[in-house]
Amino acid sequence: MYCSNCGNEILRGANACAACGAMVAGKGVCAGAPSEDVARLSAQAAPRPPRCDSYEYARTTVKSDLATVACDCYESLGFELTGAKESPASGTTALAFRRSRKVRGKAQLSKLQRTMDDLIKSIASMEAEKTRKAGYRAIALGTLSALILGVGMCCTMVWTHLMVPGIVVGVVGIGGCAFALHSYRKTVAAETVRINPRIESAYDQLATACEEAQAVLREPNESEGL
């Protein structure tokens, strides 16, 4: 049974419409199937589903210290950030983006996106390269120094008649460990001076790619205005 006033369905046994309060048949208002006008108005007043835009999605994983750089690059491609999850164990951050499928110039934007991804990976690799050589050298010197220190300890603790030479050998081992730390810092500083110009060049290329992407996104609007 339907209310003749608003067209809402009335439960069996009810005395009035739950939607508008109109009385059912026998209480002053006739009930029955809704008229065409009532049905039309009810359909117009019914809540409409939200508009659904079509998106394309992208995901990338970068070093955590480059997450902001990656976000800026993808935003210049027309993407918006939808999620970020950091993995402290690996020192990386997973980023999720979405972009309207209606964006123009997808072929050129995809090419620029690949260029940006390669440049970001290259920057991460060069940052790691600053400490790679220094790390290998420090490990080698530290291991050798630890062995020398161990020999010195054996001389002082096992062969008591070699205590004095053992002490000398132990001091040499301790000195080697300290020198390994000094060598690490010095090598990192030298590698930083050598690699930084390449990193700056990569950042300049990223900036150029972002400007090109923005130009591609603006191009349709400029064409429409002509």
Side-chain angles (χ1 to χ4, degrees):
M1 182 164 31
Y2 298 89
C3 176
S4 61
N5 183 49
C6 68
N8 184 64
E9 184 176 2
I10 301 175
L11 298 177
R12 184 181 298 275
N15 294 324
C17 175
C20 66
M23 301 297 293
V24 298
K27 299 296 182 178
V29 178
C30 294
S35 65
E36 292 183 3
D37 290 340
V38 172
R40 177 173 53 81
L41 293 174
S42 298
Q44 292 177 355
R48 297 180 179 179
R51 179 181 175 183
C52 294
D53 293 327
S54 179
Y55 295 102
E56 58 180 321
Y57 299 87
R59 295 181 63 88
T60 185
T61 301
V62 299
K63 288 292 184 181
S64 294
D65 54 353
L66 292 174
T68 301
V69 175
C71 287
D72 292 341
C73 290
Y74 272 74
E75 287 175 358
S76 71
L77 293 165
F79 286 99
E80 60 176 320
L81 182 67
T82 58
K85 183 177 181 180
E86 185 176 1
S87 300
S90 60
T92 60
T93 300
L95 303 171
F97 302 91
R98 72 177 184 180
R99 177 178 66 187
S100 173
R101 289 188 178 276
K102 298 179 181 179
V103 69
R104 303 284 183 88
K106 285 187 180 181
Q108 191 171 356
L109 290 176
S110 296
K111 182 178 179 182
L112 289 171
Q113 181 180 342
R114 290 192 295 270
T115 299
M116 292 177 183
D117 287 339
D118 291 341
L119 286 170
I120 292 173
K121 290 179 182 178
S122 177
I123 292 173
S125 177
M126 287 186 286
E127 289 288 353
E129 188 179 348
K130 290 181 180 180
T131 59
R132 187 179 298 116
K133 181 178 179 180
Y136 290 150
R137 181 175 295 179
I139 290 173
L141 288 174
T143 301
L144 179 61
S145 300
L147 292 174
I148 294 174
L149 178 60
V151 171
M153 293 179 64
C154 288
C155 291
T156 56
M157 298 176 66
V158 179
W159 303 299
T160 54
H161 61 287
L162 296 176
M163 179 174 291
V164 174
I167 293 175
V168 174
V169 172
V171 170
V172 172
I174 295 174
C177 293
F179 179 75
L181 177 60
H182 171 73
S183 174
Y184 176 84
R185 292 175 175 174
K186 185 176 181 180
T187 304
V188 168
E191 289 294 284
T192 299
V193 172
R194 181 179 69 85
I195 295 172
N196 268 350
R198 292 161 51 193
I199 294 178
E200 290 297 326
S201 176
Y203 275 116
D204 290 341
Q205 295 177 57
L206 271 180
T208 300
C210 289
E211 292 173 359
E212 292 179 7
Q214 287 294 301
V216 172
L217 292 176
R218 288 194 300 266
E219 184 176 354
N221 294 332
E222 293 175 355
S223 300
E224 291 172 2
L226 295 177

